[in-house]
Amino acid sequence: MRILLATMNEGKLREYERLLADVPGLELETMASLPKPVNVVEDRDTFMGNAFKKATEIAAASRMACLADDSGLEVDALGGRPGVYSARYAGEGATDAENNAKLLGELLGTDARDRTARFQCVIALVDADGRRLAAAEGACEGRIGATPRGAQGFGYDPLFIPDGYEQTMAELGPETKNEISHRAKAAAKLVPLLQQLRNR
Ligand code: IMP
């Protein structure tokens, strides 16, 4: 079972190879193997919408089954923002530091107990003809700290304190993150769906 992963990033390929290791015969490859790049505008207002949009457009361009994910941070005190705008919360091309600074600014004066949040991830799979085959969602619950802490990870990791921990995701590091993350949980739900598809 050959599936194109909607990313150019080798790191993401290795992460998914590990997360989906229980699917026998699964061969993942990145978009680096395509003759020309495919650009998808992520303009849907849900993670599910964006994940399927990416998977469908890339499957059409490549004529391969395609697996795409979309993820972001939902903060309860902000009505679920930044959500699908997580990457560009502080503006198009914003750095992680700028996004984190904006988030802290918006939460200024918000009590610790009201700073609940979650990382969300949706993974979508379509076949080479663009038919939707499977989708899986995962969430990692936590809260937003008062100041950035830790140097590992990316994005909002220095501000996100997962439930059950006192450290931020950026302090906990990849081993713990790979056990509790939104992506790991969504991938774990996808595994049995991929096994079923393989046995069809
Ligand atoms: P995408 O799904 O790669 O497009 O992620 C969108 C944005 O959500 C990223 O640019 C980050 O700002 C944020 N995000 C998603 N996953 C994580 C995570 O595991 N840690 C920190 N930030 C994340």
Side-chain angles (χ1 to χ4, degrees):
M1 188 162 45
R2 245 177 101 222
I3 295 181
L4 181 65
L5 194 59
T7 185
M8 294 293 281
N9 186 328
E10 286 292 317
K12 202 161 194 176
L13 172 68
R14 279 191 294 275
E15 186 181 353
Y16 271 103
E17 280 175 340
R18 198 183 48 75
L19 291 172
L20 302 176
D22 287 341
V23 184
L26 178 66
E27 284 175 46
L28 291 174
E29 53 192 84
T30 71
M31 289 162 66
S33 63
L34 297 182
K36 56 180 191 219
V38 185
N39 241 331
V40 180
V41 181
E42 296 179 35
D43 56 2
R44 299 295 151 93
D45 55 7
T46 61
F47 298 117
M48 186 74 79
N50 277 330
F52 268 115
K53 185 176 187 209
K54 262 191 268 189
T56 309
E57 290 187 14
I58 294 166
S62 64
R63 304 294 305 144
M64 280 181 74
C66 180
L67 193 150
D69 68 10
D70 195 38
S71 60
L73 178 72
E74 291 178 351
V75 180
D76 293 323
L78 302 177
R81 284 187 299 123
V84 291
Y85 301 104
S86 292
R88 51 199 147 116
Y89 187 35
E92 212 59 57
T95 63
D96 288 343
E98 287 165 348
N99 286 332
N100 283 339
K102 169 149 182 173
L103 181 58
L104 284 180
E106 293 227 49
L107 289 177
L108 217 60
T110 305
D111 277 358
R113 68 169 180 281
D114 294 326
R115 295 168 79 103
T116 50
R118 70 204 53 75
F119 282 126
Q120 293 274 20
C121 175
V122 172
I123 307 175
L125 176 66
V126 306
D127 70 11
D129 297 315
R131 280 186 292 254
R132 295 180 176 208
L133 295 179
E137 296 180 67
C140 178
E141 299 284 340
R143 63 198 149 90
I144 303 302
T147 51
R149 283 190 277 128
Q152 303 177 82
F154 71 100
Y156 299 93
D157 283 343
L159 286 179
F160 187 82
I161 304 167
D163 281 356
Y165 296 87
E166 292 306 321
Q167 302 100 310
T168 67
M169 204 66 115
E171 291 174 313
L172 287 168
E175 235 169 81
T176 306
K177 182 171 178 181
N178 287 339
E179 280 169 22
I180 64 172
S181 83
H182 45 317
R183 232 177 318 280
K185 288 182 182 164
K189 289 188 199 162
L190 193 70
V191 167
L193 302 176
L194 286 170
Q195 287 169 339
Q196 273 172 23
L197 285 169
R198 193 173 174 273
N199 295 332
R200 261 205 326 221

